[in-house]
Amino acid sequence: QTVIRGGYELSYFPEEPSGSNFLGQAVPWTISQNTPTEPLYPLGSQMTSLPRINNPFPPPVPVQPMTTAQLIATNPSVLGNSFANQTPSYQSWNFDVERQIGQSMVAEVAYAGSRGVHLLYSYNPQEVEPGPSTVSSNLRVTIPAIATVRTITQIDPRNSSNYHGLQAKFVKRFSHGLQYLASYTWSKSLDYGGSAASGGGYAGNPQTITDLAAGYGPSGFDVPQRFVGSWTWEIPAGKGQRFLNHGPLAYVFGNWQLGGISTIQSGLPFTVYLASCVNNATNCWPDRIGSGSEPNRHYSNWYNPSAFEAPCAIPSIRGICPGGDYAFRYGDSGRGILRTPGTFNFDLSASKNIPIKERAMVQLRLDAFNALNHPQMGVPNQNINPKNPASTSTAITSTIGDNRDLQVAIRVQF
C-alpha cells in the first residue's frame, strides 16, 4: 500500500537564442544593416538610385568590417554568440512517497528539485554607465573602443537556475459516482534573468550587465503556491440509480453529471523601476527603503511607492532628493521583489446524457469558464516618479485572463 520512488536525470539540450530559426542565428550568417530611407519626392538626380520595377529588391551591399574603424563607420546591428559555445544542461531529482487509502484513494507527497547551467542569456554589452550629463555618454560606455556602436545583441551561456518544490496530491478514483483530484505545490524558482527569448516576464533582467549577480531573484514564471482541484459527480438519479429511477422525473432529473476545475495560485514577481533615469545610465532602478507592501492593498493602490526613492547624493527628505541632487550610481532595489495579484478561478460544467438507442446517445452540456467572474488582474504600474515617489500611481489597469465565458454544446455519440 506504500510506494517510495526517486530519480535523478542529467540532460543536455540546444536552446533557442531567439524566436527565429536556430540555424539562421549561427555566426557568421546573420547580420542586420541599416539601408538608406528613400525620399518621398525624389529629385531627378536621385532617380537612378531608386528601386525599379524590374529590380525592386537590389542585392544589399555586403558589410564585412575587418577593423574597428570600419565597424564604427558601418554601424551595423551586431549579433554575437559566445565562442565557448557551451551546451546548456539540466539536472533534476525527486523523492516521492505514495500511500493507498481505502479501495479508491491515493495520497502522495514529493520533493522535486532541478538546476540548469550554461543557459543562454541575451543582453546588450554596450551599456552607458551612470555619470553626470556633462560627461558625454561615449565616455561612459562599457566598450569605449566602439562607443557609437550601440545596437549589439550578445548571447552567452552565462545564466543558471534552480528550483525546489514540495508537491502534494490526493486522488480519488471514480467510485459511487464521484471522483476528484487535489494537488498543491509550494516551490521557488530562481535565476539571474529571463531566457534569451522570453525576457523574464514582469521580473525582467538585471539592472546592469556589470553586476549580473545582483539580478539573482525569482524567475519571471515563479509561482510560490498553487492549488488545483478537479472533480466529477454523477448525480444518483435516473434509470439504474438510487433516486428517481423510474417515471417521467427520471427522464428530467436523471443522467446528469456535474464537474469543475478550481485554480488558486500566488501572483507573479515584478520589478520596480524609475520612470526616468536620473543617473544618466542605460537603466536605473530606485533604492528600496521599505517593504513596499500595503496592509490593505487593492487594485487602485497595489503597493506603497513611498518604499522606494531615487538614489540621492545626500540624505533624502521623505524619499525626495533635496534640489534634485541625485547620485550617479545604480539603485539597490532588487529584481522581482513584489508580486502581482494571484489567480482565483473556478470552471464549472453540467452535462446530461440522453440515450437514443443501445449504441447512440445525445449529450447536452453547459460549461462556465471563470464561473464566478473573478477578474484576473495584470501587473501594476512599475515605474516610480523619481522626483516625488509618493505621488506615483500603483494602480492595476489591465487583466490577463478572460471574464466569465458560457458555452453550450450538443454532442451525438455513437
Side-chain angles (χ1 to χ4, degrees):
Q1 293 182 331
T2 301
V3 176
I4 299 176
R5 61 172 67 90
Y8 173 83
E9 174 197 12
L10 171 62
S11 59
Y12 295 85
F13 56 92
E15 185 180 4
E16 297 283 356
S18 72
S20 55
N21 182 271
F22 185 75
L23 184 61
Q25 296 292 332
V27 176
W29 310 116
T30 296
I31 185 169
S32 301
Q33 64 186 92
N34 301 320
T35 57
T37 302
E38 305 296 350
L40 182 60
Y41 302 105
L43 301 175
S45 58
Q46 298 173 312
M47 296 298 292
T48 56
S49 63
L50 297 180
R52 299 178 178 276
I53 295 296
N54 61 351
N55 189 20
F57 302 106
V61 178
V63 177
Q64 192 176 7
M66 303 301 293
T67 65
T68 301
Q70 292 175 351
L71 178 65
I72 295 174
T74 307
N75 193 25
S77 295
V78 179
L79 175 64
N81 287 265
S82 171
F83 284 103
N85 194 28
Q86 294 164 307
T87 302
S89 64
Y90 178 81
Q91 302 175 67
S92 65
W93 53 89
N94 65 80
F95 180 79
D96 178 285
V97 178
E98 189 177 52
R99 173 73 177 180
Q100 179 181 338
I101 302 174
Q103 297 300 315
S104 62
M105 293 177 289
V106 175
E108 184 178 353
V109 178
Y111 159 73
S114 66
R115 174 168 172 75
V117 296
H118 298 151
L119 305 179
L120 294 186
Y121 177 63
S122 177
Y123 63 97
N124 187 345
Q126 187 68 296
E127 194 173 75
V128 178
E129 300 292 282
S133 58
T134 54
V135 178
S136 171
S137 63
N138 287 341
L139 301 177
R140 293 186 283 111
V141 293
T142 48
I143 312 178
I146 51 173
T148 59
V149 180
R150 304 286 180 88
T151 310
I152 306 175
T153 301
Q154 179 67 24
I155 302 172
D156 286 343
R158 302 176 61 181
N159 199 358
S160 63
S161 66
N162 67 77
Y163 170 88
H164 299 280
L166 173 66
Q167 303 170 352
K169 183 170 67 173
F170 189 85
V171 180
K172 182 187 183 304
R173 296 185 178 90
F174 190 82
S175 63
H176 304 292
L178 179 65
Q179 71 174 16
Y180 54 82
L181 182 153
S183 62
Y184 171 76
T185 301
W186 178 41
S187 64
K188 191 72 172 180
S189 178
L190 301 168
D191 56 30
Y192 291 89
S195 67
S198 74
Y202 302 135
N205 288 318
Q207 181 177 193
T208 170
I209 61 168
T210 61
D211 189 6
L212 292 182
Y216 186 64
S219 306
F221 52 83
D222 176 58
V223 176
Q225 299 192 68
R226 177 177 170 86
F227 170 83
V228 178
S230 61
W231 57 276
T232 300
W233 179 40
E234 188 177 78
I235 297 177
K239 187 177 180 179
Q241 300 292 337
R242 293 177 58 191
F243 306 103
L244 301 177
N245 49 31
H246 65 276
L249 294 179
Y251 292 97
V252 177
F253 298 102
N255 303 112
W256 280 95
Q257 191 176 79
L258 305 179
I261 301 176
S262 306
T263 303
I264 304 173
Q265 69 179 38
S266 307
L268 296 171
F270 69 90
T271 302
V272 176
Y273 308 99
L274 289 178
S276 58
C277 280
V278 296
N279 62 4
N280 300 313
T282 299
N283 300 308
C284 55
W285 295 5
D287 285 343
R288 190 182 187 185
I289 57 177
S291 69
S293 299
E294 285 283 8
N296 298 310
R297 61 185 182 183
H298 43 83
Y299 297 148
S300 61
N301 185 28
W302 189 249
Y303 65 94
N304 183 10
S306 299
F308 303 90
E309 67 176 12
C312 293
I314 58 178
S316 64
I317 301 176
R318 291 187 295 275
I320 301 176
C321 292
D325 194 4
Y326 299 110
F328 300 119
R329 62 172 175 81
Y330 290 111
D332 61 17
S333 183
R335 171 175 167 261
I337 54 176
L338 298 179
R339 295 270 169 181
T340 66
T343 298
F344 186 82
N345 184 77
F346 289 86
D347 299 334
L348 301 175
S349 68
S351 61
K352 178 178 175 60
N353 296 321
I354 305 174
I356 303 300
K357 291 184 178 181
E358 182 179 355
R359 296 186 179 181
M361 180 182 67
V362 174
Q363 183 183 79
L364 306 179
R365 186 179 185 90
L366 171 63
D367 297 298
F369 304 101
N370 191 9
L372 302 183
N373 204 27
H374 191 279
Q376 310 299 329
M377 304 303 293
V379 63
N381 175 33
Q382 299 175 248
N383 298 305
I384 296 292
N385 179 3
K387 296 182 179 180
N388 186 8
S391 67
T392 302
S393 169
T394 60
I396 302 177
T397 59
S398 63
T399 59
I400 57 175
D402 294 331
N403 298 329
R404 180 193 295 122
D405 282 338
L406 299 179
Q407 173 180 282
V408 177
I410 301 176
R411 186 176 69 176
V412 179
Q413 183 174 319
F414 58 92

